[in-house]
Amino acid sequence: MFKQLKTKSIITFRQWSRKAYAVFNSLNKVVRIGVLGLGCSILSLPAKSQQTGIDHHRTDSLLVEQELEEVVVSAQRNPVLQSELMRVVHIISRAEIEQSPAGDLAGLLQSLSAVDVRTRGSFGMQSDISLRGGTFDQTMILINGVNITDPQTGHHNLNVPVDLQSIERIEVLHGPGARVFGPNAFNGAINIITREEKDPFFQASVTGGEYGFGAAGLTGGFATGSADHHLSLSGITSDGFTRNTDFQAINVYYRSRVKSNTGLWDAQAGYNQKAFGANSFYTPAFPDQFEETSTRFASLQWIDEGTGNARASIYWRGHTDRFELFRDKKGAPDWYTGHNHHKTNVAGLNASYFIGSSLGVSTLGVDYRLEHILSNVLGEPLDQPVEVNSWPDAQYTHSYIRQGLGVLLEHNVYRGNFSASAGTLLYFNSDLVDQPGLFPGLDLAWQMHPQIRWFASTSRTLRLPTFTDLFYSGGGILGNPYLLPEEAISAETGWKLSRHNVRAEVSLFRRWGSNMIDWVKSPGEELWQSMNHTRINISGIETSLFVPLYQNPQVLISRVALNMQYSYIHADKLSGELISNYVMDHLKHKLTAGWNLHLNSRGGINISTSWQQRNGSYIVYRDNTFAESKEFEPYLLLDARIFYRFQRLEVFSEGSNLLDATVVSVANVPQPGRWLRIGLNFGI
């Protein structure tokens, strides 16, 4: 709950008004606002708005669309109404998740035009996520507000121990968020919000398909006294669509929310394990690569429900990674001495305090984070090697540790049709030479018309090098322990339009980057090296449009809706002849369109299309040698899902890449063509 200080009377909000100053009518009063979950969200929904997904207890509500009157957003530390938002935040709702043909988190994010998904392993085995022309190391991933970003490499950021059935919504903040979330929210943040049903429920699902594909999951919620519990288990497997692309993975996730006299306690824990053939993942010269990872995390958050003015949390994330350049070590050449083993541990704690007055709402926040790695490749040499668990012939010979402390100050003001949010992050880190770093930001908005809102934002942001950037050596790549942190100044402006059920948005952005990190090499060279580029500037435009084309519950096709998004990104060319491995290979054009056809209240057809054109080129590997340079070619993806519900049972069929397009998003890594699946969902 969120309540202002110096209370005189109590007001319970049933529905927010559409006036720009509505939230600040509550100053100096106690305000009850449903379940905000302030410590969890980029975007927080009032209680009335939580019911956006499918009601599994009523067959006649399967495809009921509920309009959200007002949404409370916290793209800054303290929440504001969505109609008063000064940033671009896109949401994938529970209903969209359940009806999407995507089979994993990366596939869901593919539907957003400004999100660049570069997939190596199918169905979430390994995908790189970036925003607005950035790299996969520049996007922060959170679960219920807990930062689970991997310090070893962004390749592991989507090792998320939460299956799709457990997700309530996904919130994507476009643009830098350092002053809100700290370092590494360089180009944006993706926050995964898990379900919080108050009523007991149970769901089971099973899916089968081509290439020996199989998936199953169990999800349930129940209450014991003052505590709500959520538990899910899931698994997925496949023989692979071609040589050495088989995979298997399991997820276990638990969350409990307990109300007590001291406040609301929110605990969560998860486990994820993946093992997959990594055909040509990091070099096409050795296609029989293999990787196995495991992720464990836990967090505990406290919210003062008495006043809502304070919250605190503590978290831990552990990750292990074993990479095998040769899956069958018996057939490896003599020079191959063994696999790469890495073990990272991250621990952190943070706290925030809100102060409300007639001048607005001020926020003070503190965030501490420790990152540590043991490895036989990454870090500085250990005096005494450490044994690798379950691998008696392997040892960790290197280690590295760094610590960071951020202090946040933010203030929000609303005056009539104008609003402003200003803040700064004061950041200390053991790896920073110049201490401390100051990263300010300013957001502005003006309600020009009841249906038109203008917004603008500018900020300074940073990203620390990953442990791979700093230390990796081998396989034709060489890290750089003297890398400086990436820094950038970003600015954007745009307009949000809403009339009846039609919604549109357009935003223009520019990023001036310095000390940008990339893996590069000179033409004709074999060695890729990490280095700081002096300058890489990125400009772009994002647009989105949602139109309900038709709705009549009395006929078979009861509703037709269209959701379109387009983004264009341009990056300044690097000086010299250096070949870029990541920074310049951004998406130049991306157009997505989603069609939803509802069949009365029991079934539907959902079609998702995405046309993408990537900037840059890659070196084609052919006949056991790197041949000519080739530009990335555009491609069109078409996914679809058909479903029908009988009482508590849902039957569905879905397919990805139905046009059987040839996809190259990562150089020389094979991608699957058409892949069909069928399945059942059962809910109580």
Short mmCIF file of all heavy atoms in Angstrom, two decimals, residues 152-181:
data_model
loop_
_atom_site.label_atom_id
_atom_site.label_comp_id
_atom_site.label_asym_id
_atom_site.label_seq_id
_atom_site.Cartn_x
_atom_site.Cartn_y
_atom_site.Cartn_z
N GLN A 152 28.54 -12.48 -15.84
CA GLN A 152 29.51 -13.18 -16.69
C GLN A 152 29.32 -12.79 -18.15
O GLN A 152 30.28 -12.43 -18.84
CB GLN A 152 29.36 -14.69 -16.53
CG GLN A 152 30.27 -15.51 -17.44
CD GLN A 152 29.90 -16.97 -17.48
OE1 GLN A 152 29.30 -17.50 -16.55
NE2 GLN A 152 30.23 -17.65 -18.57
N THR A 153 28.08 -12.85 -18.65
CA THR A 153 27.78 -12.52 -20.03
C THR A 153 26.27 -12.37 -20.19
O THR A 153 25.49 -13.08 -19.55
CB THR A 153 28.29 -13.59 -21.01
OG1 THR A 153 27.80 -13.30 -22.32
CG2 THR A 153 27.83 -14.98 -20.62
N GLY A 154 25.87 -11.47 -21.08
CA GLY A 154 24.45 -11.29 -21.38
C GLY A 154 23.84 -12.48 -22.08
O GLY A 154 22.60 -12.58 -22.18
N HIS A 155 24.66 -13.41 -22.58
CA HIS A 155 24.12 -14.64 -23.18
C HIS A 155 23.26 -15.43 -22.18
O HIS A 155 22.40 -16.22 -22.58
CB HIS A 155 25.24 -15.54 -23.69
CG HIS A 155 26.00 -14.99 -24.86
ND1 HIS A 155 25.39 -14.42 -25.96
CD2 HIS A 155 27.34 -14.92 -25.10
CE1 HIS A 155 26.31 -14.04 -26.83
NE2 HIS A 155 27.51 -14.33 -26.33
N HIS A 156 23.51 -15.23 -20.88
CA HIS A 156 22.80 -16.00 -19.86
C HIS A 156 21.66 -15.21 -19.21
O HIS A 156 21.04 -15.70 -18.26
CB HIS A 156 23.77 -16.45 -18.76
CG HIS A 156 24.87 -17.35 -19.23
ND1 HIS A 156 24.68 -18.29 -20.22
CD2 HIS A 156 26.18 -17.44 -18.86
CE1 HIS A 156 25.82 -18.93 -20.43
NE2 HIS A 156 26.74 -18.43 -19.62
N ASN A 157 21.38 -14.01 -19.69
CA ASN A 157 20.38 -13.17 -19.02
C ASN A 157 18.98 -13.77 -19.03
O ASN A 157 18.18 -13.52 -18.13
CB ASN A 157 20.34 -11.78 -19.66
CG ASN A 157 21.46 -10.89 -19.16
OD1 ASN A 157 22.12 -11.20 -18.17
ND2 ASN A 157 21.68 -9.79 -19.85
N LEU A 158 18.66 -14.56 -20.06
CA LEU A 158 17.33 -15.16 -20.14
C LEU A 158 17.28 -16.58 -19.57
O LEU A 158 16.34 -17.33 -19.86
CB LEU A 158 16.83 -15.15 -21.58
CG LEU A 158 16.42 -13.78 -22.14
CD1 LEU A 158 15.76 -13.93 -23.50
CD2 LEU A 158 15.48 -13.05 -21.19
N ASN A 159 18.25 -16.93 -18.76
CA ASN A 159 18.15 -18.18 -17.99
C ASN A 159 17.23 -17.91 -16.80
O ASN A 159 17.66 -17.87 -15.65
CB ASN A 159 19.53 -18.64 -17.53
CG ASN A 159 20.37 -19.16 -18.67
OD1 ASN A 159 19.89 -19.34 -19.79
ND2 ASN A 159 21.65 -19.40 -18.41
N VAL A 160 15.96 -17.75 -17.11
CA VAL A 160 14.95 -17.33 -16.13
C VAL A 160 14.17 -18.55 -15.65
O VAL A 160 13.57 -19.25 -16.46
CB VAL A 160 13.99 -16.29 -16.76
CG1 VAL A 160 12.91 -15.89 -15.78
CG2 VAL A 160 14.77 -15.07 -17.22
N PRO A 161 14.15 -18.82 -14.36
CA PRO A 161 13.47 -20.02 -13.84
C PRO A 161 11.97 -19.84 -13.66
O PRO A 161 11.40 -20.25 -12.65
CB PRO A 161 14.18 -20.26 -12.50
CG PRO A 161 14.56 -18.90 -12.05
CD PRO A 161 14.88 -18.11 -13.29
N VAL A 162 11.32 -19.22 -14.62
CA VAL A 162 9.87 -18.99 -14.55
C VAL A 162 9.28 -19.41 -15.89
O VAL A 162 9.71 -18.93 -16.94
CB VAL A 162 9.54 -17.52 -14.27
CG1 VAL A 162 8.03 -17.31 -14.26
CG2 VAL A 162 10.16 -17.07 -12.96
N ASP A 163 8.29 -20.30 -15.89
CA ASP A 163 7.65 -20.69 -17.15
C ASP A 163 6.53 -19.72 -17.49
O ASP A 163 6.10 -18.90 -16.67
CB ASP A 163 7.12 -22.13 -17.08
CG ASP A 163 6.11 -22.34 -15.96
OD1 ASP A 163 5.18 -21.53 -15.84
OD2 ASP A 163 6.26 -23.31 -15.20
N LEU A 164 6.03 -19.81 -18.73
CA LEU A 164 5.04 -18.85 -19.21
C LEU A 164 3.74 -18.91 -18.41
O LEU A 164 3.05 -17.89 -18.26
CB LEU A 164 4.75 -19.08 -20.69
CG LEU A 164 5.93 -18.84 -21.65
CD1 LEU A 164 5.47 -18.99 -23.09
CD2 LEU A 164 6.57 -17.49 -21.41
N GLN A 165 3.37 -20.08 -17.91
CA GLN A 165 2.12 -20.20 -17.16
C GLN A 165 2.16 -19.42 -15.85
O GLN A 165 1.11 -19.10 -15.29
CB GLN A 165 1.81 -21.67 -16.86
CG GLN A 165 1.33 -22.46 -18.07
CD GLN A 165 0.77 -23.81 -17.68
OE1 GLN A 165 0.91 -24.25 -16.54
NE2 GLN A 165 0.14 -24.49 -18.62
N SER A 166 3.35 -19.10 -15.36
CA SER A 166 3.47 -18.40 -14.08
C SER A 166 3.58 -16.88 -14.24
O SER A 166 3.64 -16.17 -13.25
CB SER A 166 4.70 -18.90 -13.31
OG SER A 166 4.56 -20.26 -12.97
N ILE A 167 3.61 -16.39 -15.48
CA ILE A 167 3.82 -14.96 -15.71
C ILE A 167 2.48 -14.23 -15.81
O ILE A 167 1.60 -14.63 -16.59
CB ILE A 167 4.64 -14.73 -16.98
CG1 ILE A 167 6.02 -15.38 -16.84
CG2 ILE A 167 4.80 -13.24 -17.26
CD1 ILE A 167 6.88 -15.29 -18.09
N GLU A 168 2.33 -13.18 -15.04
CA GLU A 168 1.14 -12.33 -15.11
C GLU A 168 1.27 -11.31 -16.24
O GLU A 168 0.32 -11.09 -16.99
CB GLU A 168 0.94 -11.59 -13.78
CG GLU A 168 -0.21 -10.59 -13.78
CD GLU A 168 -1.56 -11.27 -13.97
OE1 GLU A 168 -1.70 -12.46 -13.61
OE2 GLU A 168 -2.48 -10.60 -14.49
N ARG A 169 2.43 -10.72 -16.37
CA ARG A 169 2.67 -9.77 -17.45
C ARG A 169 4.18 -9.53 -17.56
O ARG A 169 4.94 -9.86 -16.65
CB ARG A 169 1.94 -8.45 -17.22
CG ARG A 169 2.43 -7.67 -16.01
CD ARG A 169 1.57 -6.44 -15.74
NE ARG A 169 2.06 -5.67 -14.61
CZ ARG A 169 1.78 -5.92 -13.34
NH1 ARG A 169 0.98 -6.94 -13.05
NH2 ARG A 169 2.26 -5.17 -12.37
N ILE A 170 4.58 -8.96 -18.67
CA ILE A 170 5.97 -8.58 -18.91
C ILE A 170 5.99 -7.09 -19.23
O ILE A 170 5.23 -6.63 -20.09
CB ILE A 170 6.58 -9.39 -20.07
CG1 ILE A 170 6.51 -10.89 -19.76
CG2 ILE A 170 8.03 -8.97 -20.31
CD1 ILE A 170 6.87 -11.75 -20.94
N GLU A 171 6.83 -6.36 -18.54
CA GLU A 171 6.91 -4.91 -18.71
C GLU A 171 8.28 -4.56 -19.29
O GLU A 171 9.31 -5.00 -18.78
CB GLU A 171 6.72 -4.21 -17.36
CG GLU A 171 5.45 -4.65 -16.65
CD GLU A 171 5.44 -4.24 -15.19
OE1 GLU A 171 6.47 -3.72 -14.71
OE2 GLU A 171 4.41 -4.43 -14.53
N VAL A 172 8.27 -3.79 -20.37
CA VAL A 172 9.51 -3.45 -21.06
C VAL A 172 9.68 -1.93 -21.05
O VAL A 172 8.86 -1.20 -21.63
CB VAL A 172 9.50 -3.97 -22.52
CG1 VAL A 172 10.81 -3.63 -23.21
CG2 VAL A 172 9.26 -5.47 -22.55
N LEU A 173 10.70 -1.47 -20.36
CA LEU A 173 11.05 -0.05 -20.35
C LEU A 173 12.03 0.22 -21.47
O LEU A 173 13.13 -0.32 -21.50
CB LEU A 173 11.69 0.33 -19.01
CG LEU A 173 12.30 1.74 -18.93
CD1 LEU A 173 11.23 2.80 -19.08
CD2 LEU A 173 13.07 1.94 -17.63
N HIS A 174 11.63 1.05 -22.43
CA HIS A 174 12.48 1.41 -23.55
C HIS A 174 13.32 2.62 -23.16
O HIS A 174 12.79 3.63 -22.71
CB HIS A 174 11.64 1.74 -24.79
CG HIS A 174 10.84 0.59 -25.30
ND1 HIS A 174 10.97 0.09 -26.58
CD2 HIS A 174 9.89 -0.18 -24.70
CE1 HIS A 174 10.14 -0.93 -26.74
NE2 HIS A 174 9.48 -1.10 -25.61
N GLY A 175 14.62 2.51 -23.38
CA GLY A 175 15.50 3.61 -23.05
C GLY A 175 16.19 3.40 -21.72
O GLY A 175 15.84 2.51 -20.93
N PRO A 176 17.21 4.20 -21.43
CA PRO A 176 18.05 3.99 -20.25
C PRO A 176 17.27 4.10 -18.95
O PRO A 176 16.35 4.89 -18.82
CB PRO A 176 19.12 5.09 -20.36
CG PRO A 176 18.51 6.13 -21.23
CD PRO A 176 17.63 5.40 -22.19
N GLY A 177 17.68 3.29 -17.95
CA GLY A 177 17.03 3.31 -16.65
C GLY A 177 18.02 3.28 -15.51
O GLY A 177 17.72 2.75 -14.44
N ALA A 178 19.23 3.84 -15.70
CA ALA A 178 20.26 3.78 -14.67
C ALA A 178 19.82 4.48 -13.39
O ALA A 178 20.09 3.99 -12.29
CB ALA A 178 21.57 4.39 -15.19
N ARG A 179 19.14 5.62 -13.52
CA ARG A 179 18.78 6.35 -12.31
C ARG A 179 17.66 5.65 -11.54
O ARG A 179 17.43 5.96 -10.37
CB ARG A 179 18.38 7.78 -12.67
CG ARG A 179 16.92 8.03 -12.94
CD ARG A 179 16.65 9.53 -13.00
NE ARG A 179 15.24 9.80 -12.82
CZ ARG A 179 14.41 10.11 -13.82
NH1 ARG A 179 14.86 10.15 -15.06
NH2 ARG A 179 13.16 10.37 -13.57
N VAL A 180 16.97 4.72 -12.18
CA VAL A 180 15.89 3.97 -11.53
C VAL A 180 16.39 2.63 -11.01
O VAL A 180 16.16 2.28 -9.85
CB VAL A 180 14.71 3.76 -12.50
CG1 VAL A 180 13.58 3.01 -11.81
CG2 VAL A 180 14.22 5.08 -13.07
N PHE A 181 17.10 1.88 -11.87
CA PHE A 181 17.48 0.51 -11.53
C PHE A 181 18.97 0.32 -11.29
O PHE A 181 19.40 -0.75 -10.90
CB PHE A 181 17.04 -0.44 -12.65
CG PHE A 181 15.57 -0.40 -12.92
CD1 PHE A 181 15.07 0.20 -14.06
CD2 PHE A 181 14.66 -0.95 -12.03
CE1 PHE A 181 13.72 0.25 -14.32
CE2 PHE A 181 13.31 -0.91 -12.26
CZ PHE A 181 12.84 -0.31 -13.42
#
